Amino acid sequence: MIDRALLVRIEAKEGKEDEVERFLKDALDAVREEDKTIDWFAVRFGKRDFAIFDTFPDESGRLAHLAGKVGRALIAKTPTLIEGLPTIEHAEVLAYK
């Protein structure tokens, strides 16, 4: 059962769009190692606007993901690749298919 989700919005710094896209694509292998990350989507909405949406069976899965390899790498890369800070929204999943 999927119970929790995260929506992380990322705005790439001007000129860093390709690096952010590459970072997100490369993050997939690390996320595949996380047993409690059920779904993980990295998406692009425009030139500099990216997001990650992921789902988890419970709060412990969500917290493990935030503390995992991708979360740590995202924070480390924030000063060089991302405008401001990523926006992280916690959500409860009400229904899914």
Side-chain angles (χ1 to χ4, degrees), residues 24-96:
L24 291 172
K25 288 179 177 180
D26 291 346
L28 181 58
D29 288 336
V31 174
R32 285 184 172 140
E33 296 174 8
E34 299 175 357
D35 293 335
K36 287 192 165 188
T37 300
I38 306 300
D39 300 298
W40 187 85
F41 301 91
V43 296
R44 187 174 193 167
F45 294 105
K47 182 179 179 194
R48 296 173 52 201
D49 191 14
F50 298 84
I52 299 168
F53 179 77
D54 29 28
T55 64
F56 314 92
D58 52 32
E59 186 63 19
S60 68
R62 180 163 60 185
L63 292 174
H65 175 70
L66 285 169
K69 290 179 185 178
V70 176
R72 291 191 315 264
L74 181 61
I75 296 305
K77 297 227 179 244
T78 291
T80 57
L81 297 182
I82 298 170
E83 192 69 44
L85 294 173
T87 303
I88 302 172
E89 297 184 49
H90 294 240
E92 293 181 31
V93 175
L94 303 178
Y96 65 91

Side-chain angles (χ1 to χ4, degrees), residues 14-28:
E14 188 71 42
K16 299 293 184 174
E17 301 88 350
D18 292 342
E19 290 179 62
V20 171
E21 181 175 325
R22 189 169 34 262
F23 169 79
L24 291 172
K25 288 179 177 180
D26 291 346
L28 181 58

